[in-house]
Amino acid sequence: MELCYPGKMPIDSVLGGPRASLLQEPIPGRSMLIQGDNLAVLRSLLDRSIRFDLCYIDPPFATGNVFRQSEERTSTISSSTSSGLAYRDQIKGSEFIEFMRQRIILIRELLTEEGSFYLHTDDKVGHYLKIILDEVFGARHFRNDISRIKCNPKNFQRHAYGNSKDVIYFYGKSLKSIWNDPREITSDREMEQLFRKVDASGRRYTTVPLHAPGETLNGATSQPWRGLMPPAGRHWRSHPDELERLNQQGLIEWSSKGNPRRMLYADEHRGKKVQDSWVFKDPPYPRYPTEKNMELLMRIITASSRPGSFVLDCFAGSGTTLAACQELGRYWLGIDQSQAAVDTIQRRFSETKPLVEYQFIRTEAC
Ligand SMILES: C[S@@+](CC[C@H](N)C(=O)[O-])C[C@H]1O[C@@H](n2cnc3c(N)ncnc32)[C@H](O)[C@@H]1O
């Protein structure tokens, strides 16, 4: 399947197009802020040995709007932004889709084999971008479509449900992209409800079935274990050898009717698996229009990179991704063409203690 529209450029031309001329050469092992059009800057990175374990982007959403910083914010930063202009979001229709596609192609090239990509967008253009992402990354590398609650419930006048969410598409470059399986804290009350049983040594535990839905036709997980078959239409969750090992370790509880169940202990519980609906509301007093929530970025970076990883955000805005990387010990590369964005990022880092060390690079056109 492919999305067809006029002006769709061949991949070779996207990769081979004009490069930005960087006024300074990137210093290896340093975080970096580059001011310029990300298309030309991304191409210029292709020619260097810089590669990323993670890229998050929050591009314009084709809203047709012009975004300005509040007067209070502009008066505290440079006079070049005294008009208050932050950025224009006025590319629409197929031109917008192609604008995004070209950047997505370059981002994929710049990821390591263990790399991941998160695209933050909304429900008006997201479905087109999902098709482009499947084309560029391959549908089998799609991981999640995350709903992000962005604000309190709204009371629109229009005849539709209120819109309080946007969407984040998550892809791996390959099937082995970094995944740290983040967990959410389980409250004491939830722990009590979850782990109701107590063993002879006083440890709290619960039990779960040893089988799961679906039959495997020839696999070992459909074979008898200790003379027992999995119930009809189900298979053993583990190979019978593994079930035997668990049983010998005393981790399988047998009911009086001879049904085995896996024992899970409260003191080994790592927290709840994070699901694909997240509540990370936008900051109430943003330093930059459409600024995202720092905890949202912390979650993404924690899940899909390691300490020391290099992380890219080529629509950096106020630098939320960069600040979250700094907190979590990741190197970062931020790109933005807006003077207001660059001023905001520089100011953000000038307030941090200890001072953040990074290289600021302009491109020739700036
Ligand atoms: C939605 S904002 C990003 C906000 C950011 N996530 C934050 O938390 O502050 C999008 C940013 O992309 C930048 N941008 C748009 N088109 C660009 C381009 N072609 N090259 C570089 N930056 C671009 C805009 O200047 C703007 O700062």
Side-chain angles (χ1 to χ4, degrees):
M1 274 184 294
E2 199 189 339
L3 194 63
C4 297
Y5 52 85
K8 193 168 180 180
M9 197 186 259
I11 293 185
D12 286 352
S13 312
V14 175
L15 296 172
R19 270 74 177 140
S21 164
L22 307 184
L23 295 184
Q24 265 183 302
E25 206 35 48
I27 302 170
R30 270 274 180 103
S31 292
M32 267 174 270
L33 173 60
I34 302 181
Q35 183 171 14
D37 177 13
N38 50 20
L39 184 67
V41 175
L42 292 173
R43 285 199 193 108
S44 76
L45 297 177
L46 277 184
D47 305 335
R48 296 171 166 84
S49 58
I50 302 171
R51 294 293 177 268
F52 303 91
D53 283 338
L54 170 63
C55 175
Y56 163 89
I57 60 169
D58 167 30
F61 292 1
T63 60
N65 294 336
V66 173
F67 288 96
R68 296 182 189 281
Q69 269 181 313
S70 68
E71 256 179 47
E72 193 191 321
R73 293 289 187 191
T74 31
S75 60
T76 57
I77 47 183
S78 91
S79 55
S80 57
T81 55
S82 55
S83 67
L85 177 68
Y87 68 96
R88 294 177 195 283
D89 177 7
Q90 293 183 309
I91 307 177
K92 300 196 94 174
S94 59
E95 205 190 324
F96 173 77
I97 301 303
E98 181 60 10
F99 167 94
M100 289 305 304
R101 174 178 163 269
Q102 295 189 5
R103 279 134 184 107
I104 292 168
I105 289 171
L106 289 162
I107 288 168
R108 187 190 165 280
E109 287 299 312
L110 288 166
L111 290 174
T112 62
E113 278 308 295
E114 290 189 300
S116 302
F117 180 49
Y118 289 74
L119 168 64
H120 201 144
T121 183
D122 76 0
D123 54 357
K124 296 198 187 74
V125 287
H127 50 299
Y128 295 114
L129 295 179
K130 169 76 169 62
I131 298 174
I132 296 293
L133 285 164
D134 281 350
E135 277 178 30
V136 176
F137 275 80
R140 72 196 193 108
H141 294 138
F142 167 68
R143 295 287 162 80
N144 285 108
D145 161 343
I146 299 159
S147 295
R148 197 262 319 202
I149 303 296
K150 58 181 177 179
C151 58
N152 293 329
K154 282 185 191 157
N155 209 358
F156 289 128
Q157 290 306 310
R158 66 192 173 100
H159 291 195
Y161 301 106
N163 166 237
S164 59
K165 69 154 203 328
D166 51 25
V167 51
I168 302 171
Y169 295 119
F170 166 30
Y171 281 73
K173 172 145 176 185
S174 70
L175 296 177
K176 51 179 189 183
S177 55
I178 299 170
W179 177 245
N180 298 320
D181 199 12
R183 298 286 165 148
E184 279 181 313
I185 293 168
T186 313
S187 69
D188 290 347
R189 190 147 176 258
E190 287 171 320
M191 287 295 275
E192 270 170 36
Q193 283 175 345
L194 220 54
F195 299 96
R196 288 172 181 273
K197 299 180 170 189
V198 180
D199 75 5
S201 64
R203 287 174 78 198
R204 297 187 75 88
Y205 74 99
T206 187
T207 61
V208 292
L210 285 181
H211 38 75
E215 277 178 51
T216 57
L217 284 180
N218 300 312
T221 54
S222 290
Q223 300 301 312
W225 169 63
R226 291 193 160 231
L228 280 178
M229 283 296 283
R234 298 179 72 89
H235 65 281
W236 298 120
R237 279 180 189 275
S238 309
H239 190 283
D241 293 350
E242 171 65 4
L243 297 179
E244 196 50 40
R245 193 184 63 78
L246 292 171
N247 196 43
Q248 277 169 19
Q249 289 178 345
L251 292 173
I252 289 181
E253 184 174 76
W254 293 85
S255 74
S256 54
K257 290 189 178 152
N259 288 326
R261 284 172 72 89
R262 169 86 159 94
M263 296 167 78
L264 298 175
Y265 281 95
D267 52 21
E268 289 170 357
H269 179 63
R270 285 185 54 229
K272 287 181 288 186
K273 177 112 183 142
V274 175
Q275 303 296 309
D276 59 3
S277 295
W278 299 358
V279 181
F280 288 113
K281 291 183 186 159
D282 288 335
Y285 305 107
R287 62 199 98 204
Y288 190 80
T290 65
E291 177 177 337
K292 296 297 176 292
N293 176 306
M294 177 89 163
E295 280 71 37
L296 165 72
L297 270 304
M298 302 269 268
R299 169 170 287 173
I300 290 173
I301 294 163
T302 307
S304 292
S305 70
R306 303 189 183 99
S309 283
F310 208 173
V311 178
L312 172 68
D313 182 347
C314 54
F315 292 88
S318 67
T320 313
T321 309
L322 321 183
C325 283
Q326 196 63 37
E327 283 275 313
L328 294 167
R330 274 66 167 170
Y331 295 102
W332 48 265
L333 194 163
I335 307 171
D336 207 295
Q337 63 189 8
S338 150
Q339 186 61 47
V342 167
D343 287 345
T344 305
I345 293 169
Q346 292 191 316
R347 185 180 164 80
R348 186 170 193 162
F349 283 133
S350 72
E351 288 165 349
T352 314
K353 291 208 174 52
L355 274 185
V356 175
E357 285 202 12
Y358 65 93
Q359 191 186 6
F360 175 50
I361 302 177
R362 286 201 171 83
T363 49
E364 202 147 69
C366 299

